[in-house]
Structure formats: C-alpha cells, structure tokens
C-alpha cells in the first residue's frame, strides 16, 4: 500500500463539503493517509474490518472479471465513506484515482457505533441500487446523462462538474466503451446540453434537458 501519514488531525464537527459526514463521536481520531494516483488502498480478498472516509481526491471501487476486463462499481468523492463489507474480506479493489487523502477507521472490540454507521451503509446501498438501474438502460446517452446528473448532485448541484476519473473509468462504470463515452460527450456538447471546459471538467448548460435524458 503506497501511502504515508501525517500527524493526527481532528475530524470536523460540521460538514465542510456538501458530502462531508459529521465526525464519528467516540471513534479515535485517525491520521490522514495519502495515496498517489493509481495507488491501491485495499485489494479484493484482503481482510476487512475497517471503513474509509475520503478527505480529498477520489476513489474507484472495482473488480477484475474472469476475462480480464475491469468493472467499476462505484466512485467516492471528498466526504464520502466506503469499505463496508458484510463478511470478513473485501470483495472489490479500492484505488486512488488521483492524489487522495483517506482516513481509515478501525474500532476496538465492543465499540458500538451501529447507530452512526448504519445510515452511511444504507446510503451506499441506495447508490449501488441506483447504479444497477442506470446499467439496465440500453441507451448510452441515458447512461452518461444519469452519470453527469449524479456527479453534479454529489458536488452540491454546481453547474461546473469536476470529473476526476478518465473517460475509460466512466466507460468501465457505465458498461460502455471509451469510444462510446467520448462520442456521447461530443453529442451532448453539439446539442448545447453541456460545455467541455477541460478534459476533467464539464459545465452543464441545460440541466433540465440533461435530467430528462437521464430519466
């Protein structure tokens, strides 16, 4: 695991980001671990027993299929938590997309934080269910539109949406080829629905149209 840590830093008592979770009560303050772009946070099959909170940067959760293809199941942005497992081992890989800071929470035996952790786990489950609905859509434009709407909502509803992930990442998340993803972005731009500010930043020009496309 390519990471290094700083001195212990207290979690904020109030959210400083639209997705920021409030500090975890009696949980011990955790050091901030830094991961370079592409660094593995944990691997499929590794022992579980902790959960993770993104302080800055972004994380992709994925699994390698039998034929060698990669399926991304989730992206996690600043303030979001991940790593919850029903069993004792991780079922997916977690990897930093870009330079990312993560806090790893491990709790002593007997510590009961179910009241705080359950809402976070349920939120992750709801997002996973919504992702399955997106994958069930046949139209590539609908998938990309739903992805952009979701990313905008998770970043506070801003018109300019940061996309830390690559077009290939988006394709592996939506079940599309990188060529299809790029083609859909170009088509949305030509229709005046979005503006491509840069490779990793999209401005949503017509939010109502994009939302209609995603439904």
């Amino acid at each position: 695991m390519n990471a290094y840590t700083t001195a212990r830093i207290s979690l904020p008592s109030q959210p400083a980001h639209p997705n920021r979770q409030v500090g975890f009560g009696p949980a011990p303050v955790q050091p901030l671990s830094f991961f370079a772009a592409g660094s593995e946070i944990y691997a499929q099959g590794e022992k579980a027993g902790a959960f993770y909170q993104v302080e800055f940067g972004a994380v992709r959760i994925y699994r390698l299929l039998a034929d060698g293809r990669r399926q991304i199941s989730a992206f996690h942005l600043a303030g979001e938590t991940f790593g919850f497992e029903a069993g004792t081992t991780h079922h997916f890989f977690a990897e930093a997309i870009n330079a990312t800071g993560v806090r790893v929470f491990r709790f002593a035996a007997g510590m009961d934080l179910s009241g705080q952790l359950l809402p976070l786990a349920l939120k992750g489950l709801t997002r996973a269910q919504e992702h399955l609905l997106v994958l069930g859509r046949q139209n590539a434009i609908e998938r990309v539109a739903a992805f952009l709407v979701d990313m905008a909502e998770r970043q506070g509803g801003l018109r300019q949406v940061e996309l830390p992930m690559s077009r290939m990442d988006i394709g592996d998340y939506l079940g599309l080829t990188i060529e299809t993803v790029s083609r859909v972005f170009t088509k949305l731009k030509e229709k005046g629905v979005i503006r491509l500010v840069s490779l990793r930043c999209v401005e949503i020009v017509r939010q109502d149209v994009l939302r209609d496309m995603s439904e």
Side-chain angles (χ1 to χ4, degrees), residues 31 36 61 91 98 100 104 119 162 190 193 213:
I61 307 296
H91 293 78
N98 48 19
T100 301
V104 185
E162 297 294 330
E190 291 173 348
V193 179
M213 288 178 171

Side-chain angles (χ1 to χ4, degrees), residues 29-42:
V29 175
Q30 303 300 317
L32 185 62
S33 297
F34 293 91
F35 295 86
S39 296
E40 184 180 279
I41 299 172
Y42 58 74

Side-chain angles (χ1 to χ4, degrees), residues 29-178:
V29 175
Q30 303 300 317
L32 185 62
S33 297
F34 293 91
F35 295 86
S39 296
E40 184 180 279
I41 299 172
Y42 58 74
Q44 180 179 335
E46 281 188 359
K47 183 177 179 181
F51 76 96
Y52 306 77
Q53 185 178 63
V54 182
E55 286 292 306
F56 61 85
V59 173
R60 56 181 160 242
I61 307 296
Y62 70 94
R63 176 179 285 183
L64 294 176
L65 305 179
D67 59 5
R69 290 180 298 130
R70 182 185 66 165
Q71 176 63 60
I72 294 178
S73 64
F75 295 115
H76 296 287
L77 310 178
E80 298 179 353
T81 54
F82 64 97
F84 298 99
E85 295 287 354
T88 59
T89 59
H90 287 294
H91 293 78
F92 295 85
F93 292 88
E95 189 174 85
I97 296 176
N98 48 19
T100 301
V102 174
R103 295 192 195 278
V104 185
F105 291 86
R106 303 180 189 277
F107 299 102
M111 182 176 288
D112 183 12
L113 292 176
S114 57
Q116 293 166 290
L117 299 183
L118 182 59
L120 301 180
L122 291 177
K123 185 175 182 180
L125 177 61
T126 299
R127 184 164 289 154
Q129 292 171 331
E130 291 174 346
H131 182 221
L132 288 176
L133 292 177
V134 171
L135 291 180
R137 298 174 184 175
Q138 299 300 314
N139 191 318
I141 292 181
E142 291 177 351
R143 296 188 193 187
V144 173
F147 169 74
L148 291 175
V149 168
D150 176 58
M151 291 296 293
E153 290 176 348
R154 290 162 68 180
Q155 296 181 38
L158 299 177
R159 284 186 174 272
Q160 283 205 1
V161 181
E162 297 294 330
L163 300 177
M165 64 290 294
S166 66
R167 298 290 192 267
M168 182 176 291
D169 282 345
I170 297 172
D172 288 348
Y173 179 65
L174 297 177
L176 303 170
T177 64
I178 184 174

Side-chain angles (χ1 to χ4, degrees), residues 178-189:
I178 184 174
E179 293 81 9
T180 299
V181 172
S182 297
R183 186 163 57 249
V184 171
F185 270 85
T186 299
K187 186 173 295 185
L188 292 174
K189 175 187 175 183

